[in-house]
Amino acid sequence: MKLWRGNVWKIRTIRGKFLMLTLLLTVVPMFVLTFTFHRIAVHSLVGKAEERATQSRQMSESFLNRTIADLHDMTNAILGNPEVQAILQLHPTDDYEFLRNVDRVNKIIRAQTQTKSYIISTLIYAPGGGELQSFYQGNDSIRFGGLPTEQEARIYYDQLRSDNRIMWHDGSPFQGALDPSNDDEHLYVGKLLRQTEGNYEDIGFLMLEIEKVHFFSGISVLNPNEKEQFWIVDSGGNPVYQMPEGIKADYRALHEIALDAAAASTKDKGWTSWNGKRTMVSFAPLAANQWTLLHLADADALFQDANQIGRWTMEIFLVVFVIGWIVTYRVSDTIRRPLRRLRRLMGTSTGKAPILPPFDPLDEVGQIGDRFERMMQENKELNDRVIEALLSRKEAEFRALQAQINPHFLYNTLESLNGLALTNGQNEMSEVIGALGKFFRIALSQGSEEIRVANEAEHAGAYVRVQQFRFKDKLEWISEIDEDILDCRVPKLIFQPIVENAIYHGAKLRKDVVYLMLTGVREERRLRFSISDDGNGIPLQKLEEIRRTLDGQQGDASAIGFGLRNVHERLRHYGSEYGVQIASELGKYTTVTLYVPIREEQS
């Protein structure tokens, strides 16, 4: 590790030192300042955007609540009018008197509603007048061009008396079960009418028909659009009105928001997924009607300014970085050019030092020249050592070739035994001998240190087949490796030692069947293989001792077997992120995980 760090920081070229110095003194501080400025700007802009979105919801909430309160005050003024009270408590003697009363009531109502452009129709119901003299209608809009029946009005009147004194409806409350009409353009408000003197008995109700577009028109000054939407929903999350009109609703999100509103009536800021997009949601209840006002702001719109600043910041950083790099390159070239001329003078293929011009011992280049002859002598000695090392390597290769003769002889012998077993009808024996032969053939692999994942898994499977012959009906082997990594190359003989440990320690003392499973998947930068068994498991103290030994925290290598240690050390040669990890629970399972570098098959 120390050697590796030294190689990184020991930059030998003049140009490299200049570039590294520029990187440390300019680029790194500039990057830190740029990143800090960008984060501060993003935090400020996003905070202001979220605050503006919350204020939009609060403004619309205030407007709608004032409108609703004004509407309630108006209904109180109508129902508290003495003339209206007197007319509704006296039953007319004939139709002429009833029509005069209707005209008087309508004049009073028009005087109160003439400033309310969103009210398009009124209806007063006074029970006891029968089908013809119970309704004081302002125009013919209620129930889409007609009056409710006496029975419908009576049912609604009883509901007002038992449930609430005022009720809001999205659509006509007088639609019968067989009425196919579907009114999405109007709201209906029903309010119970009582005597203002005496025993305060209930004497009827007032029904107002409201046009949604005009009632919610005050929200339009906030310029709602697809990126910034307003929704009015009832307690079940069903849309009552939305601005702008015609936008697509996400009923799943509306239902979830309705549940949140039931738990916490007001939320200034939250996040949800709206039609697959991350969206900021803010909601608050509307007064007296159990509806909720939602404000939805698309995250892209909120972060638009912040993202633009981020792009500008990155572009400025890259421009400054490129300019600084070019300037550093040109300055370093003024020093590097004389050294390149000296290097050409030092170039030789004869092994002898060339004749060089006199060097100034006080100059850095002259000091390099003084060292030249000594360097040539050192190179000669180094060349001799390299030749000696090559000879040693050839000798080692010859010994390795001799060591392969015995496995080849054993493999050929097993092939002969396999043929003999087939001739004598010993099919199971032939299968085991064939597995053993395959085991040795893959182990040889023509001297290669790396083999395909498919071959390594086949090698482990051959070993298990031989052991299944030994442990009759006690071993079950499962191999599930993703097809896209079967052609990757891995170090040879990394599965078999782990499988051997699993059989020896997990299945040897068991009387029932032990399952062995090999899995393999590709992760971001490495391959992960797991070999699991449901055998005896490892005691916790022993497991911790094995882990410490693998991590190098314990010097006693006898805590783990040679095979496991060998596999771990070979994988660690590729980097600290590779190697062996063990998980186990006593009496339940043991899983050994191998992390291997990704090395694709070369054609």
Side-chain angles (χ1 to χ4, degrees):
M1 181 62 70
K2 293 182 179 179
L3 179 61
W4 180 82
R5 290 178 179 173
N7 289 335
V8 171
W9 291 105
K10 193 180 298 182
I11 301 175
R12 295 178 173 84
T13 63
I14 297 296
R15 175 169 290 171
K17 292 177 181 179
F18 264 82
L19 295 179
M20 180 57 68
L21 184 62
T22 302
L23 177 66
L24 294 177
L25 297 182
T26 61
V27 177
V28 173
M30 184 176 65
F31 175 79
V32 173
L33 291 175
T34 302
F35 178 79
T36 303
F37 168 75
H38 174 252
R39 294 303 303 169
I40 293 174
V42 168
H43 179 75
S44 176
L45 289 174
V46 171
K48 290 181 180 179
E50 293 175 348
E51 182 180 357
R52 183 180 62 80
T54 302
Q55 290 175 350
S56 297
R57 193 269 301 164
Q58 292 173 345
M59 291 174 60
S60 59
E61 173 193 356
S62 176
F63 165 77
L64 291 178
N65 282 331
R66 286 198 307 269
T67 304
I68 292 173
D70 186 46
L71 180 67
H72 288 183
D73 293 340
M74 184 203 68
T75 58
N76 290 332
I78 294 174
L79 300 181
N81 186 281
E83 188 174 358
V84 174
Q85 288 275 325
I87 292 174
L88 297 182
Q89 294 181 48
L90 296 177
H91 299 291
T93 57
D94 52 32
D95 292 342
Y96 177 73
E97 182 180 358
F98 172 71
L99 293 176
R100 287 178 57 196
N101 291 341
V102 170
D103 184 63
R104 291 165 58 193
V105 170
N106 286 338
K107 287 181 179 180
I108 296 172
I109 293 177
R110 280 196 298 270
Q112 295 290 338
T113 61
Q114 61 182 353
T115 60
K116 308 294 186 295
S117 60
Y118 51 80
I119 298 178
I120 60 175
S121 175
T122 61
L123 174 68
I124 291 180
Y125 168 73
E131 190 73 34
L132 300 178
Q133 297 184 2
S134 294
F135 299 100
Y136 296 81
Q137 186 177 17
N139 56 41
D140 294 335
S141 180
I142 292 289
R143 203 188 174 192
F144 319 105
L147 291 171
T149 65
E150 169 69 19
Q151 182 180 3
E152 289 176 334
R154 185 70 191 187
I155 293 174
Y156 184 73
Y157 174 55
D158 292 338
Q159 185 178 1
L160 276 175
R161 298 175 68 187
S162 60
D163 294 344
N164 204 334
R165 296 185 179 182
I166 186 167
M167 298 178 66
W168 288 70
H169 308 278
D170 181 22
S172 174
F174 300 124
Q175 292 187 46
L178 299 178
D179 193 344
S181 58
N182 185 15
D183 185 11
D184 292 331
E185 299 179 356
H186 301 96
L187 299 174
Y188 296 84
V189 180
K191 186 166 185 178
L192 185 65
L193 173 62
R194 287 185 171 181
Q195 294 180 359
T196 57
E197 296 178 352
N199 55 6
Y200 305 103
E201 291 183 355
D202 300 329
I203 57 175
F205 66 79
L206 170 66
M207 175 67 68
L208 301 177
E209 184 177 15
I210 298 174
E211 192 170 21
K212 293 182 181 180
V213 173
H214 290 89
F215 186 76
F216 297 110
S217 61
I219 303 178
S220 61
V221 300
L222 299 175
N223 298 321
N225 51 61
E226 291 187 0
K227 300 293 185 180
E228 190 171 356
Q229 308 172 14
F230 290 90
W231 289 78
I232 313 295
V233 298
D234 60 19
S235 58
N238 301 307
V240 176
Y241 190 71
Q242 71 271 2
M243 293 188 74
E245 298 183 11
I247 53 179
K248 181 181 179 182
D250 188 333
Y251 292 98
R252 177 199 59 79
L254 289 176
H255 179 68
E256 292 178 355
I257 294 172
L259 295 178
D260 292 341
S265 58
T266 301
K267 176 182 287 188
D268 288 334
K269 184 182 75 171
W271 294 94
T272 186
S273 175
W274 180 268
N275 290 326
K277 295 183 178 180
R278 188 167 183 262
T279 304
M280 175 184 165
V281 59
S282 175
F283 60 78
L286 296 179
N289 59 8
Q290 296 183 350
W291 291 349
T292 301
L293 169 66
L294 306 181
H295 177 262
L296 302 174
D298 193 291
D300 293 339
L302 289 177
F303 299 139
Q304 182 177 4
D305 293 338
N307 293 335
Q308 183 64 38
I309 287 182
R311 287 190 291 270
W312 289 345
T313 303
M314 184 57 65
E315 290 171 1
I316 293 173
F317 169 77
L318 291 177
V319 170
V320 174
F321 174 79
V322 171
I323 293 175
W325 208 259
I326 292 174
V327 171
T328 303
Y329 186 88
R330 298 300 299 270
V331 172
S332 65
D333 202 45
T334 61
I335 300 175
R336 184 169 176 262
R337 194 177 296 114
L339 296 177
R340 293 183 64 184
R341 289 196 295 265
L342 176 60
R343 186 182 64 182
R344 285 195 296 269
L345 292 175
M346 296 173 63
T348 179
S349 60
T350 61
K352 297 180 181 180
I355 300 176
L356 297 175
F359 293 104
D360 184 0
L362 299 179
D363 180 69
E364 289 84 353
V365 178
Q367 294 173 4
I368 296 174
D370 291 336
R371 294 236 358 130
F372 181 74
E373 291 184 355
R374 284 181 289 174
M375 182 184 66
M376 295 294 292
Q377 181 62 31
E378 292 172 357
N379 285 342
K380 183 177 182 305
E381 296 175 357
L382 178 62
N383 186 58
D384 294 339
R385 290 198 295 269
V386 169
I387 293 176
E388 184 180 353
L390 289 175
L391 293 176
S392 300
R393 179 180 177 182
K394 289 296 183 180
E395 185 178 356
E397 291 177 352
F398 178 72
R399 288 198 299 268
L401 181 61
Q402 285 183 323
Q404 292 181 4
I405 295 176
N406 290 337
H408 273 293
F409 173 75
L410 180 59
Y411 170 68
N412 293 332
T413 303
L414 289 174
E415 288 294 325
S416 299
L417 292 175
N418 185 21
L420 183 61
L422 287 175
T423 303
N424 294 328
Q426 298 291 330
N427 294 331
E428 185 177 8
M429 180 64 71
S430 172
E431 183 181 354
V432 173
I433 293 174
L436 187 59
K438 183 185 298 183
F439 176 84
F440 282 107
R441 184 180 69 253
I442 298 175
L444 291 175
S445 304
Q446 298 180 351
S448 175
E449 291 299 324
E450 292 184 350
I451 62 176
R452 295 170 58 247
V453 171
N455 294 338
E456 180 65 12
E458 185 180 9
H459 180 256
Y463 176 79
V464 173
R465 182 63 190 94
V466 173
Q467 294 299 325
Q468 285 176 330
F469 181 74
R470 175 187 177 190
F471 299 98
K472 293 292 186 178
D473 301 325
K474 289 185 63 177
L475 294 177
E476 288 293 337
W477 172 250
I478 303 171
S479 178
E480 296 183 356
I481 299 178
D482 291 354
E483 293 185 1
D484 63 333
I485 66 172
L486 290 177
D487 290 331
C488 293
R489 300 189 70 82
V490 296
K492 183 169 62 177
L493 299 180
I494 59 172
F495 293 166
Q496 185 272 331
I498 311 302
V499 173
E500 182 179 354
N501 284 347
I503 295 175
Y504 184 80
H505 297 286
K508 187 174 182 180
L509 301 179
R510 290 282 295 270
K511 295 182 179 181
D512 53 348
V513 177
V514 174
Y515 288 87
L516 301 176
M517 185 172 185
L518 168 63
T519 62
V521 297
R522 180 194 295 266
E523 294 186 344
E524 184 176 359
R525 296 182 179 177
R526 60 187 181 181
L527 303 178
R528 174 169 58 84
F529 299 98
S530 296
I531 300 173
S532 303
D533 68 83
D534 60 348
N536 300 318
I538 304 174
L540 181 59
Q541 182 178 357
K542 179 66 174 178
L543 180 62
E544 293 298 329
E545 185 178 354
I546 293 174
R547 288 172 175 170
R548 287 195 299 271
T549 302
L550 291 176
D551 293 338
Q553 300 176 5
Q554 181 171 313
D556 185 9
S558 61
I560 60 177
F562 172 78
L564 180 61
R565 183 173 67 253
N566 177 268
V567 172
H568 180 68
E569 291 177 352
R570 284 196 292 148
L571 294 179
R572 274 300 173 97
H573 283 307
Y574 295 99
S576 59
E577 66 269 29
Y578 308 109
V580 177
Q581 293 183 3
I582 301 179
S584 180
E585 186 173 347
L586 186 62
K588 292 187 177 181
Y589 75 93
T590 298
T591 297
V592 179
T593 303
L594 308 179
Y595 293 99
V596 184
I598 299 177
R599 301 171 70 85
E600 302 291 347
E601 173 75 13
Q602 297 181 354
S603 59

